Amino acid sequence: MSDLLSVFLHLLLLFKLVAPVTFRHHRYDDLVRTLYKVQNECPGITRVYSIGRSVEGRHLYVLEFSDHPGIHEPLEPEVKYVGNMHGNEALGRELMLQLSEFLCEEFRNRNQRIVQLIQDTRIHILPSMNPDGYEVAAAQGPNKPGYLVGRNNANGVDLNRNFPDLNTYIYYNEKYGGPNHHLPLPDNWKSQPISTEGRWWPITRMTSPLSTGSEGSAAPPAPPRLTTSSSRRYVEKQLVPPGELGAQELAKVYSYAHGWMFQGWNCGDYFPDGITNGASWYSLSKGMQDFNYLHTNCFEITLELSCDKFPPEEELQREWLGNREALIQFLEQVHQGIKGMVLDENYNNLANAVISVSGINHDVTSGDHGDYFRLLLPGIYTVSATAPGYDPETVTVTVGPAEPTLVNFHLKRSIPQVSPVRRAPSRRHGVRAKVQPQARKKEMEMRQLQRGPA
């Protein structure tokens, strides 16, 4: 009898280990349990941390995947996924949880593609940027929630209209000259608690060249597609120059890896290649996309993933299978282009050095460790590094289609220009008189005449 019980318990444990993931909506407590469950199953490659609290005090938990969690490794790029910015748009939130479980499970199964991705990349996943709004939307019950119920945070603020508006600054700089990146924050900007934390995470503290915000659906309901700019055509215009791996190219990577997005026809509307420029679709200001692009090193696209803001649970498995490959391929795009270290002549790291690519009017900067990352398509480029007090360095780089090209810079300190020593002007009657060169010449000639021939 004991042998039969032992076999039964063994089979039960085996079934538990291989049981398929349940596809359901996760309330806040369920979300937290899921994140810590993943961390417990993959403790060596994950870390759960909070970037702050919402208006109602809920933690904004992030799940990190890395072979060295909690540490930025020089030359290892970072990527972030943000879900559920609008609380009533729930699909992105569920996809982020499914992705977290998938990465952990495949790493444990020694899937070499996932193992290499986690070893070479630091991945941050924020399933819900607006947990307060989600709870309001989810509380509506099994029937479809009210169309806008739960969209905003607990203060009634749309978080994707609450980032600093830097467009005025970039307009001015384009016209009169000025930086095309890392624009300063306006003095009069006031944020919501979530946006305050979200703006600093991790885009300004870390070297994060790639990001995406995922939403459930648009307003009005629109087909699954990606937007490549939010408030205007600025981002798309800057990303169009040949060579830069920009918003359009990144959006197509996701769309064509998706189960059906690339077809363009969904929800009774059509978008070529399954993507659109956000400003062409509808204009907004103070969005997260433009803020990422203009204030940080981070390129970001927005995923509109469903015709339904809060899809029924029976649709979640289909949505996951349709997005799974696209989510992985998007993460892999962070390894395109060039990367390297910026050092001084004594091999000290140089932070905040500016990396410029000829023909592309958008620069990036090196991080605290001196490393930088620049997304580029295959081609030949002229790349420069500059830093205050150092001579610039320019190199020609060939970028291939596979691994990023390593391009290091060693900057030498500038030699100060020594001004010629000037004789002090003469003093007459207690007043310093400025002697002009012509007057000085005449004075010297007069003295020579007074002395007579040598």
Side-chain angles (χ1 to χ4, degrees):
M1 183 68 181
S2 61
D3 291 341
L4 290 176
L5 181 60
S6 176
V7 171
F8 174 76
L9 292 175
H10 178 75
L11 291 175
L12 182 63
L13 177 60
L14 181 63
F15 174 77
K16 184 178 180 181
L17 290 175
V18 300
V21 176
T22 56
F23 293 92
R24 60 184 177 84
H25 289 290
H26 293 72
R27 300 292 288 265
Y28 177 74
D29 290 341
D30 293 333
L31 180 149
V32 175
R33 279 192 291 267
T34 299
L35 295 180
Y36 277 99
K37 171 177 173 286
V38 172
Q39 183 187 38
N40 290 334
E41 292 177 348
C42 294
I45 60 167
T46 60
R47 176 177 70 111
V48 176
Y49 65 95
S50 173
I51 60 172
R53 291 180 181 268
S54 66
V55 175
E56 295 181 342
R58 295 181 175 91
H59 276 287
L60 275 68
Y61 282 116
V62 178
L63 180 62
E64 174 190 346
F65 283 88
S66 170
D67 56 348
H68 293 88
I71 300 173
H72 172 73
E73 301 175 68
L75 296 179
E76 182 172 286
E78 307 196 19
V79 189
K80 64 184 173 71
Y81 272 136
V82 180
N84 199 209
M85 177 182 286
H86 294 143
N88 62 334
E89 296 173 353
L91 180 57
R93 173 189 180 110
E94 298 306 323
L95 290 178
M96 293 300 97
L97 294 177
Q98 296 292 342
L99 176 64
S100 300
E101 294 183 316
F102 177 79
L103 291 174
C104 175
E105 180 181 353
E106 293 304 303
F107 186 90
R108 293 172 64 189
N109 292 336
R110 308 310 295 171
N111 180 327
Q112 286 305 302
R113 182 187 184 192
I114 301 303
V115 169
Q116 181 175 355
L117 178 65
I118 292 175
Q119 288 178 343
D120 296 344
T121 319
R122 191 179 183 196
I123 302 166
H124 306 264
I125 299 174
L126 173 62
S128 180
M129 190 173 174
N130 187 359
D132 296 350
Y134 177 87
E135 293 301 309
V136 172
Q140 301 302 301
N143 297 325
K144 192 173 182 178
Y147 190 69
L148 295 177
V149 173
R151 174 183 174 90
N152 298 337
N153 73 353
N155 284 340
V157 174
D158 186 331
L159 297 181
N160 203 32
R161 310 294 190 275
N162 189 237
F163 284 83
D165 186 359
L166 302 178
N167 291 337
T168 301
Y169 293 84
I170 198 66
Y171 287 142
Y172 181 90
N173 291 350
E174 284 179 341
K175 185 174 182 180
Y176 298 105
N180 58 24
H181 66 112
H182 284 73
L183 302 184
L185 299 178
D187 295 333
N188 61 350
W189 176 62
K190 296 181 179 180
S191 75
Q192 295 298 299
I194 294 179
S195 294
T196 302
E197 296 298 335
R199 88 176 195 224
W200 296 120
W201 166 82
I203 48 181
T204 56
R205 290 179 179 170
M206 308 174 191
T207 308
S208 177
L210 190 57
S211 170
T212 181
S214 57
E215 300 184 355
S217 111
R225 86 251 178 277
L226 297 101
T227 63
T228 57
S229 171
S230 50
S231 69
R232 64 170 181 134
R233 293 182 181 272
Y234 176 76
V235 174
E236 178 167 285
K237 182 185 73 173
Q238 295 301 327
L239 297 181
V240 164
E244 182 161 13
L245 180 60
Q248 291 187 27
E249 292 78 13
L250 291 169
K252 287 181 180 179
V253 167
Y254 195 99
S255 178
Y256 278 88
H258 189 277
W260 53 87
M261 185 183 290
F262 66 94
Q263 298 174 355
W265 284 107
N266 284 288
C267 313
D269 208 340
Y270 178 73
F271 291 92
D273 297 313
I275 71 173
T276 185
N277 173 266
S280 297
W281 188 44
Y282 68 92
S283 182
L284 65 89
S285 62
K286 302 181 181 179
M288 184 166 66
Q289 261 185 291
D290 287 355
F291 171 76
N292 272 269
Y293 188 73
L294 295 176
H295 185 62
T296 78
N297 284 330
C298 195
F299 287 19
E300 181 169 290
I301 62 175
T302 298
L303 310 177
E304 304 281 1
L305 296 171
S306 172
C307 305
D308 193 340
K309 287 182 176 294
F310 214 108
E313 290 186 339
E314 54 267 25
E315 294 182 11
L316 294 180
Q317 183 173 9
R318 174 180 179 270
E319 293 289 353
W320 162 242
L321 295 177
N323 283 275
R324 182 177 62 189
E325 176 61 22
L327 288 167
I328 300 301
Q329 283 198 27
F330 186 84
L331 292 174
E332 293 171 333
Q333 297 310 301
V334 76
H335 296 285
Q336 298 290 320
I338 61 175
K339 66 178 182 179
M341 301 293 298
V342 184
L343 308 171
D344 66 13
E345 51 206 310
N346 296 317
Y347 290 86
N348 297 312
N349 300 333
L350 287 181
N352 299 316
V354 177
I355 310 300
S356 305
V357 180
S358 179
I360 299 178
N361 186 28
H362 187 76
D363 303 331
V364 299
T365 61
S366 58
D368 293 340
H369 297 80
D371 54 343
Y372 75 92
F373 305 85
R374 191 65 173 87
L375 301 177
L376 294 170
L377 294 171
I380 300 176
Y381 301 92
T382 301
V383 185
S384 301
T386 59
Y390 294 85
D391 293 331
E393 183 179 351
T394 301
V395 297
T396 300
V397 180
T398 299
V399 176
E403 295 295 321
T405 302
L406 185 64
V407 183
N408 295 324
F409 291 94
H410 293 83
L411 304 186
K412 297 181 179 180
R413 284 196 175 275
S414 302
I415 299 176
Q417 297 294 325
V418 180
S419 301
V421 178
R422 296 182 179 179
R423 294 177 58 185
S426 61
R427 292 178 178 271
R428 294 180 182 174
H429 306 292
V431 179
R432 183 180 297 273
K434 185 176 180 181
V435 181
Q436 298 298 328
Q438 189 65 25
R440 184 182 299 276
K441 182 179 179 181
K442 290 183 178 180
E443 181 180 355
M444 295 297 292
E445 291 176 347
M446 182 62 67
R447 288 181 179 177
Q448 183 67 28
L449 290 174
Q450 290 174 348
R451 287 197 299 265

